[in-house]
Amino acid sequence: MQRVIFVDVDGVLNNSSTLSRLRLRGAHGSVDLSQLIDPSNLQVLARIVEATGAVAVVSSSWRLR
């Protein structure tokens, strides 16, 4: 049986510090989606996936836009 980790982007892979960093850099309008992900949070997810052999299913309310 495949192990699955469900991860919400909003508030998990990104957070208030990620958004603050973008504001400080003056990012407006369209930004590269990779800039919206907190690198340290992504590293933690990668370690969990590697250690468990799970696949990550990422969800976000952005899919509704």
Side-chain angles (χ1 to χ4, degrees), residues 30-61:
S30 179
V31 293
D32 181 353
L33 291 179
S34 66
Q35 295 175 348
L36 298 175
I37 304 297
D38 185 295
S40 60
N41 291 353
L42 189 58
Q43 288 175 348
V44 170
L45 176 59
R47 286 196 305 260
I48 293 169
V49 167
E50 186 176 322
T52 63
V55 296
V57 175
V58 179
S59 67
S60 172
S61 60

Side-chain angles (χ1 to χ4, degrees), residues 8-23 25 27-42 58-60 62 65:
D8 183 35
V9 171
D10 308 311
V12 178
L13 290 182
N14 70 14
N15 53 40
S16 58
S17 65
T18 307
L19 299 176
S20 295
R21 187 178 68 242
L22 286 174
R23 283 190 202 105
R25 288 197 340 232
H28 297 288
S30 179
V31 293
D32 181 353
L33 291 179
S34 66
Q35 295 175 348
L36 298 175
I37 304 297
D38 185 295
S40 60
N41 291 353
L42 189 58
V58 179
S59 67
S60 172
W62 298 345
R65 295 180 187 184

